[in-house]
Amino acid sequence: MNDAAETKQPKRWLIFALAVVVLWGIWGAFTGISAQKGFPETLTYCVWAVTMILPALYVLARAGWKLDHDPKSILYGLIIGLLGAGGQMVLFYTVNTGPAYLIFPVISLSPLVTILMSAAFLKERTTKLGLLGVVLALVALPMFDFSPDKGFSFMNGGVWFPLALVIMACWGVQAYFMKLSNNSMSAESIFFYMMITGLMLVPVALMMTDFSKPINWGLDGPYLAAAIQVLNAIGALCLVYAFRHGKAIVVAPLTNAGGPLVTAVISLVVANAIPGELKIIGLVLAVIASALLALAA
């Protein structure tokens, strides 16, 4: 019985981890469609927040409805949730201002922020792999936004790159607090607070919505948005179980680098676009860097 369980265990984490890669990869490639169909980014955020409810309740139910509710856990939960939801809100706008095949590889470098914060505040040292990842990330980032003839696009009115950096920072800091709270909170509690804080920002998203403009309330409006955003929610649920059944040193690099790579490939195929040489180099370096950073985390 034990031998059988041990042989099945690696398959379980691998199935969940690959599910995260596929779900988040597809979600990243198509999350900008809703706005293109006339359903505002702010309302897409509201739909995403709602799709988080069932996975959060399911995870908590699997844990026997045990929720960490001491002041420290609540504080950490709110910080983690607000950073995640805030980055998510910015992301829905960002994917409509730039190419997803470049935005998501930039965001995938968020472990760079986590490692730097851990080194500064927790006095942790990264491995040689982590150091190489930091160097590659620092080399890759400028390549996404630079062109030899126009310089940096954000200086010429482009906003997707600095916004992607904001999301990268939010999720990098979020991961730092996840790491900080790991010994005192359960993953189910963290995920539950992420759902709660996501819903807390729904009124803000509604206030930011311009209801005077036409809004697509049809099947390809909120319903299509829900079908796309539920991929994110289920992917997050699968990530919880991937970490539960597998080793973080294996799960993290697979999900952190795999998802953006799937997004980049799908987006390139759908958009039928070929980025410039510098951007291709930056994309490749970002994928390598994100894997190295995750391995060192």
Side-chain angles (χ1 to χ4, degrees), residues 222-289:
Y223 302 100
L224 177 60
I228 295 172
Q229 299 310 318
V230 76
L231 297 176
N232 183 314
I234 297 176
L237 175 60
C238 289
L239 184 63
V240 171
Y241 284 104
F243 276 110
R244 175 175 295 173
H245 297 297
K247 295 180 179 180
I249 196 172
V250 179
V251 174
L254 178 59
T255 55
N256 197 67
L261 180 59
V262 172
T263 293
V265 171
I266 295 176
S267 299
L268 283 170
V269 172
V270 172
N272 194 25
I274 300 177
E277 292 181 0
L278 281 178
K279 289 181 173 60
I280 292 177
I281 295 174
L283 194 155
V284 173
L285 289 179
V287 171
I288 296 173

Side-chain angles (χ1 to χ4, degrees), residues 110-297:
S110 60
L112 172 65
V113 178
T114 308
I115 287 177
L116 293 177
M117 288 187 68
S118 297
F121 301 116
L122 301 180
K123 306 303 179 183
E124 292 184 350
R125 293 183 180 180
T126 187
T127 63
K128 292 182 179 180
L129 283 179
L131 181 59
L132 179 59
V134 170
V135 173
L136 290 180
L138 293 176
V139 172
L141 282 175
M143 292 184 178
F144 285 103
D145 198 52
F146 182 80
S147 62
D149 54 339
K150 296 181 180 180
F152 289 97
S153 63
F154 70 88
M155 296 181 179
N156 299 294
V159 296
W160 73 265
F161 183 68
L163 289 177
L165 291 179
V166 169
I167 301 168
M168 183 188 78
C170 283
W171 290 353
V173 176
Q174 179 195 41
Y176 167 78
F177 276 98
M178 281 187 180
K179 189 173 185 178
L180 191 63
S181 61
N182 189 51
N183 294 327
S184 60
M185 290 182 68
S186 66
E188 292 81 7
S189 295
I190 292 175
F191 191 84
F192 181 83
Y193 287 119
M194 289 173 65
M195 179 270 291
I196 292 296
T197 49
L199 292 173
M200 286 171 55
L201 291 181
V202 165
V204 177
L206 291 175
M207 288 188 292
M208 293 172 60
T209 304
D210 187 356
F211 288 100
S212 65
K213 294 182 179 180
I215 297 176
N216 180 6
W217 296 106
L219 289 176
D220 57 351
Y223 302 100
L224 177 60
I228 295 172
Q229 299 310 318
V230 76
L231 297 176
N232 183 314
I234 297 176
L237 175 60
C238 289
L239 184 63
V240 171
Y241 284 104
F243 276 110
R244 175 175 295 173
H245 297 297
K247 295 180 179 180
I249 196 172
V250 179
V251 174
L254 178 59
T255 55
N256 197 67
L261 180 59
V262 172
T263 293
V265 171
I266 295 176
S267 299
L268 283 170
V269 172
V270 172
N272 194 25
I274 300 177
E277 292 181 0
L278 281 178
K279 289 181 173 60
I280 292 177
I281 295 174
L283 194 155
V284 173
L285 289 179
V287 171
I288 296 173
S290 61
L292 294 176
L293 289 168
L295 278 169

